[in-house]
Amino acid sequence: MADLRHCRGQHPTSNHHDRSTIGKALLVTQQNTAATSRTEPHLDVAALGEQLLGKWAEDRRVSRAIAGRAEFQRIEGQSMAEHRERVLGQLSLLVEEGAIQRAFPESMGGSNNHGGNIAAFEELVTADPSLQIKAGVQWGLFGSAVLHLGTQEHHEKWLPGILNMEIPGAFAMTEIGHGSDVASVATTATYIPETDEFEIHTPFRAAWKEFLGNAGQHGHAAVVFAQLITQGVNHGVHALYVPIRDGNGFLPGIGGEDDGLKGGLNGIDNGRLHFDHVRIPRTNLLNRYGDVDASGKYTSPIASPGRRFFTMLGTLVQGRVSLDGAAVAASKVALQIAVTYAHQRRQFNATSNIQEEVIMDYQRHQRRLISRIATTYAMSFAHESLLEKFDGVFSGASDTDEDRQDLETLAAALKPTSTWNALDILQECREACGGAGFITKNRFTSLRADLDVYVTFEGDNNVLLQLVAKRLLTDYAQEFRHLDAGVLARYVVRQAGNVAINRSGLRQFAQTWADTGSEKRSANFLKDAETQRNLLTDRVQTAVGEVADAMRGAAKLQQAEGARIFNENQHEIIEAARAHGELLLWESFTAALENIKDADTRQIMTWVRDLFGLQLIEKDLAWYQMHGRLSSQRARTLGPYINRLLARLRPHAQDLVDAFGYGPEHLRADIATGIEAERQDEAAEYLRRQRALPDAPMDEKVLVARRKAEEKAQRHAAKAAAKKGRKVGA
């Protein structure tokens, strides 16, 4: 151990972080000892880590360097007031670092680098999720709304102050009464031609703007979403720039409340706003997609009110994109901590009376952690695809209506998947580290508390999946629109026979094994990429087809009846969208395998992909059996094959999480510093010395066993003597 300790003291924020070097060195020694005679593939950690950094690798590196500095990191145990002031100050530090302009025009000091901006921004979650989200409110929501919904006049007037933090601002969209239903917000912006002003008004308490970052304390302005009314016509939701505070507090007609202490993210001053006939200049309307002239006439380059509404909201999709990426980053940090600890923590004498087992060697622990490593890799590769789609749209390289719709659908599918997975991963990592995982300084509890709200903001996950499902149903209907009557007739017959549509022919293919297969053939079947793709794709296609069949004609019914039918199928709709999101993850993972050049690394990552795909099938195994996609015999082999994959991946677990690329300055968890390896070594050395002592205490079990052995020997001797005596007497 002494030869490793020269590494200590390199990290300025802790006396313990450098112990990770010791822990990793010990792990390498353990793995090398176990692998002296094996021919298993070797993982190229550096190359895999580079691939995970993706297209905007340099932007990520720069942001990770910032997140690794003490002045940007959370101080556990601070009061809410202290935490808020620290995070506010950190935003100014980001400005000084030149870290926030990437997505803005060159005229504003930016580089029109939308993908790199999100890639860098999401890495801040490793420093403090409150910093990531507050920065997102200031520049990703408030600033981006002015940039994307406003025109050049607005950019010149407000963006410099927004960028340099002279104008901290809020994004006032959500209302207490209409959280995810933005189209129905009740706040109004009525044009008054006599004064050339808009009047912003909150007509009742349920219309108060709620959960707004920067509204509780720091915000001086807000982009307010309201129903735009002019000349007696409501033109739907539009955005307006509204000053809300000066140095003395709220401006006249504006009120609000601080949301106070929350379950997490307490470095952000969330609050409520309401408006009592507040007047603002007509030119404060962010009028890129809808304008009102001095006479009150409304014009828009988009004729359809519905399309105009979704176009305006679509410019703000980056919030969902960044949450997806931040959830992935937090999952990586948690797994890197938990797996490092699991390679050092020992428990129970399972195979030896001298040394306890490393808990990573237990199959259940492998199920808990390695399976979630696989999920995190899938999330990471899928996020990179989402980021490239986002950058294409916002840079203008591929900005058609179809591209924007695809981006919206992709973000709405992946954000729920990643944020729910992140909560699961954080909780499982916490439990896998026992009581140590519950100690605040080991990060899990704070990260989970902060990420909890990710599943409900920037769109509640269930609502987002409902949007995805509607897109799937629309695409499904359009596909059938181009088929001839004969095809439709055959489809209806198959449905009537209770056999769901199956374009892949998988039903017949899967069932052929039932009577003639073997376990080995079944394993080969399951690990085949095309089999996994067919099963996962069929899960989505069949679910969408069944819902479409159940809802056929609902659009032509009266509103109440159509809503009833939709509501009766809501669970199935959301489940179909969830399965679609999981399929997207699998497809992204599979595509990423093609970019791995090293054969050994590609083999290991193929096992990881197989583990991810098969655990999805295992999760929905009842569905596959009920729909005749897998026989009972084949289904029974799924679990054992997953266990075999876990055993194959066990030697590579640490390498897989090390490839995530986070250093001790990002993990900041005592249990991932090597301190546990030191404790275990100290314990092992103590026990070794104890056993060598001539007067070492004897274990009671050993003493009992020895006495029993002696008593048994005595009985045998007595029997032998008695037998000998009988022979002599004879």
Side-chain angles (χ1 to χ4, degrees), residues 506-527:
L506 181 64
R507 179 182 177 84
Q508 293 76 19
F509 172 57
Q511 289 297 87
T512 57
W513 181 85
D515 300 321
T516 61
S518 66
E519 287 193 11
K520 183 176 181 180
R521 288 181 60 191
S522 180
N524 289 334
F525 169 83
L526 292 169
K527 73 180 183 180

Side-chain angles (χ1 to χ4, degrees), residues 325-345:
V328 173
S331 299
K332 290 176 178 177
V333 166
L335 283 164
Q336 200 167 341
I337 294 170
V339 170
T340 300
Y341 181 69
H343 279 105
Q344 299 172 19
R345 180 74 162 90

Side-chain angles (χ1 to χ4, degrees), residues 413-718:
L414 294 183
K415 182 262 185 180
T417 306
S418 62
T419 53
W420 273 328
N421 278 334
L423 292 187
D424 168 72
I425 290 165
L426 286 163
Q427 181 64 23
E428 197 64 40
C429 286
R430 203 294 294 163
E431 293 182 31
C433 294
F438 199 60
I439 298 174
T440 299
K441 65 183 176 182
N442 288 323
R443 299 291 302 281
F444 298 120
T445 55
S446 294
L447 278 173
R448 196 193 184 287
D450 286 339
L451 265 71
D452 197 344
V453 75
Y454 283 33
V455 303
T456 53
F457 83 125
E458 293 293 337
D460 176 274
N461 282 358
N462 285 285
V463 174
L464 290 180
L465 288 181
Q466 191 166 290
L467 293 176
V468 174
K470 288 181 177 179
R471 172 69 186 274
L472 292 174
L473 289 169
T474 299
D475 289 351
Y476 188 88
Q478 289 176 344
E479 180 177 344
F480 274 92
R481 190 176 299 156
H482 300 294
L483 298 179
D484 60 39
V487 173
L488 286 173
R490 289 193 295 274
Y491 167 68
V492 173
V493 169
R494 287 199 300 273
Q495 288 293 89
N498 200 30
V499 179
I501 184 171
N502 185 355
R503 299 179 183 85
S504 67
L506 181 64
R507 179 182 177 84
Q508 293 76 19
F509 172 57
Q511 289 297 87
T512 57
W513 181 85
D515 300 321
T516 61
S518 66
E519 287 193 11
K520 183 176 181 180
R521 288 181 60 191
S522 180
N524 289 334
F525 169 83
L526 292 169
K527 73 180 183 180
D528 178 69
E530 201 58 33
T531 297
Q532 294 174 36
R533 176 182 283 107
N534 286 339
L535 285 168
L536 295 170
T537 302
D538 182 67
R539 171 77 173 93
V540 178
Q541 289 178 341
T542 301
V544 173
E546 289 175 341
V547 171
D549 186 44
M551 295 182 59
R552 187 184 296 123
K556 299 178 182 179
L557 299 175
Q558 292 185 354
Q559 182 178 1
E561 183 63 14
R564 182 189 65 78
I565 294 175
F566 183 87
N567 191 56
E568 287 177 352
N569 291 277
Q570 188 176 39
H571 174 72
E572 287 75 15
I573 287 171
I574 291 174
E575 283 299 294
R578 178 192 61 80
H580 174 68
E582 292 170 345
L583 173 62
L584 291 174
L585 297 187
W586 187 93
E587 291 281 7
S588 295
F589 202 147
T590 301
L593 292 177
E594 300 300 318
N595 297 322
I596 300 175
K597 306 303 180 185
D598 178 68
D600 280 2
T601 302
R602 187 166 58 251
Q603 176 61 77
I604 295 168
M605 293 306 295
T606 299
W607 292 339
V608 177
R609 190 280 314 274
D610 290 347
L611 175 60
F612 174 68
L614 295 180
Q615 69 185 5
L616 292 179
I617 295 168
E618 184 183 49
K619 176 169 63 71
D620 283 338
L621 191 55
W623 185 93
Y624 288 105
Q625 290 191 272
M626 286 190 299
H627 286 75
R629 301 310 194 257
L630 286 174
S631 66
S632 295
Q633 180 70 34
R634 179 159 282 157
R636 283 195 294 271
T637 68
L638 183 58
Y641 183 63
I642 287 176
N643 291 337
R644 289 200 292 275
L645 281 174
L646 292 168
R648 285 179 185 171
L649 291 169
R650 161 65 184 94
H652 310 290
Q654 188 70 49
D655 283 344
L656 286 167
V657 296
D658 286 348
F660 293 154
Y662 292 109
E665 69 276 19
H666 302 110
L667 304 184
R668 303 194 305 284
D670 269 14
I671 56 174
T673 62
I675 192 173
E676 181 61 30
E678 290 184 4
R679 286 196 290 256
Q680 296 294 337
D681 282 353
E682 182 183 25
E685 178 61 19
Y686 171 80
L687 293 174
R688 185 194 65 77
R689 291 197 305 267
Q690 284 293 103
R691 287 192 297 270
L693 294 174
D695 58 346
M698 183 179 295
D699 190 292
E700 182 181 3
K701 292 179 181 179
V702 174
L703 180 61
V704 170
R706 182 178 295 177
R707 286 175 177 172
K708 287 182 178 179
E710 290 174 351
E711 291 170 357
K712 184 177 181 180
Q714 290 172 359
R715 286 195 300 271
H716 278 295

Side-chain angles (χ1 to χ4, degrees), residues 185-216:
V185 297
T187 300
T188 56
T190 305
Y191 181 61
I192 311 297
E194 291 79 9
T195 59
D196 198 29
E197 293 176 310
F198 280 103
E199 184 176 83
I200 313 298
H201 184 59
T202 308
F204 44 78
R205 189 174 179 85
W208 283 23
K209 300 295 182 178
E210 171 63 301
F211 312 123
L212 315 179
N214 279 342

